[in-house]
Amino acid sequence: GENVEQHPSTLSVQEGDSAVIKCTYSDSASNYFPWYKQELGKRPQLIIDIRSNVGEKKDQRIAVTLNKTAKHFSLHITETQPEDSAVYFCAASIHSSARQLTFGSGTQLTVLP
Amino acid sequence: EAQVTQNPRYLITVTGKKLTVTCSQNMNHEYMSWYRQDPGLGLRQIYYSMNVEVTDKGDVPEGYKVSRKEKRNFPLILESPSPNQTSLYFCASSYVAGHPGNEQFFGPGTRLTVL
């Protein structure tokens, strides 16, 4: 089955700096890649996703890039703010949709004021 | 309001005492799933369901059962809980495919402790 690896497990940045989280996947058939943000004590919530027919997608300060050849995708957060502090999960699916996601192990992002 | 609900939110029980965690969604989603979240391991899928009466094992199904008798409900059953099932559990739902903006919505989580 699919295996998703996520790095780093923890990341600390100064407010205003950029943060990058990287994931690799094993199944070349994977075609849907969402990113979830989980604040302390809360449920995971989708922040951005990308499908395999697109190389990059942006939404304000958040962007995701996908390299199908290398089987990796990354989350980029620019101009980080304290409210960006959370655990971020990447995921992958072969179904072009949100079902049957395989998740990475998560990255604890801390934005220092 | 579109939502996924779980009950109970917190549960402390003892080894071997059967329990059920309920999950319900009001978005008419076909797909529902249970995950457990443990530190350093991310979200691991326990069971999922593609529609009523259609369920399948995820990555960590041992010690769990599910049923899908109605589209909106997907209960998780631990018939003989053990301490290694102490975890944070999330239910989630989504459309199977073909809906713009489709995403997997998560419930608020159930913190289970098995003594």
Side-chain angles (χ1 to χ4, degrees):
Chain A
E2 174 68 280
N3 182 48
V4 177
E5 295 193 356
Q6 183 172 344
H7 298 281
S9 57
T10 61
L11 178 60
S12 293
V13 299
Q14 288 294 137
E15 183 176 356
D17 287 351
S18 295
V20 180
I21 302 170
K22 299 181 179 181
C23 291
T24 60
Y25 60 98
S26 61
D27 192 338
S28 57
S30 289
N31 49 31
Y32 174 67
F33 307 92
W35 286 87
Y36 284 80
K37 175 183 180 182
Q38 185 181 27
E39 297 177 353
L40 188 63
K42 302 278 184 68
R43 69 191 81 189
Q45 291 192 292
L46 180 73
I47 55 171
I48 195 168
D49 57 10
I50 191 169
R51 287 182 164 75
S52 58
N53 58 345
V54 175
E56 182 174 359
K57 184 177 179 180
K58 283 188 76 171
D59 183 4
Q60 300 182 350
R61 297 187 295 109
I62 294 173
V64 57
T65 59
L66 171 65
N67 183 326
K68 287 186 295 183
T69 303
K71 292 191 284 188
H72 68 69
F73 56 112
S74 300
L75 178 71
H76 305 253
I77 306 174
T78 58
E79 301 173 23
T80 54
Q81 300 167 4
E83 51 265 37
D84 294 329
S85 296
V87 177
Y88 292 81
F89 292 99
C90 63
S93 171
I94 64 171
H95 298 288
S96 300
S97 73
R99 66 181 172 100
Q100 289 169 265
L101 296 173
T102 298
F103 284 84
S105 54
T107 296
Q108 172 69 62
L109 173 65
T110 302
V111 179
L112 304 168
Chain B
E1 179 190 356
Q3 59 182 347
V4 179
T5 57
Q6 293 178 229
N7 283 291
R9 295 289 314 280
Y10 303 91
L11 180 59
I12 300 174
T13 189
V14 295
T15 298
K17 185 176 181 182
K18 181 178 179 180
L19 66 93
T20 299
V21 183
T22 64
C23 174
S24 183
Q25 50 93 6
N26 63 0
M27 294 169 278
N28 203 35
H29 287 161
E30 302 94 356
Y31 180 80
M32 297 186 75
S33 180
W34 277 102
Y35 298 91
R36 61 177 289 172
Q37 184 176 14
D38 302 290
L41 297 177
L43 292 153
R44 294 182 293 166
Q45 190 174 53
I46 302 170
Y47 269 94
Y48 65 93
S49 169
M50 296 287 287
N51 214 323
V52 176
E53 302 291 2
V54 181
T55 63
D56 211 344
K57 296 178 181 179
D59 298 319
V60 289
E62 293 76 21
Y64 304 95
K65 283 177 58 177
V66 293
S67 69
R68 188 91 182 274
K69 294 183 169 53
E70 305 166 282
K71 197 171 187 179
R72 64 183 292 127
N73 296 324
F74 190 44
L76 179 70
I77 303 154
L78 285 72
E79 296 213 322
S80 185
S82 62
N84 64 9
Q85 293 177 297
T86 293
S87 187
L88 177 60
Y89 291 87
F90 286 101
C91 179
S93 72
S94 74
Y95 292 112
V96 168
H99 287 259
N102 188 27
E103 67 176 89
Q104 200 162 130
F105 288 90
F106 284 80
T110 295
R111 173 77 65 183
L112 173 65
T113 301
V114 183
L115 302 175

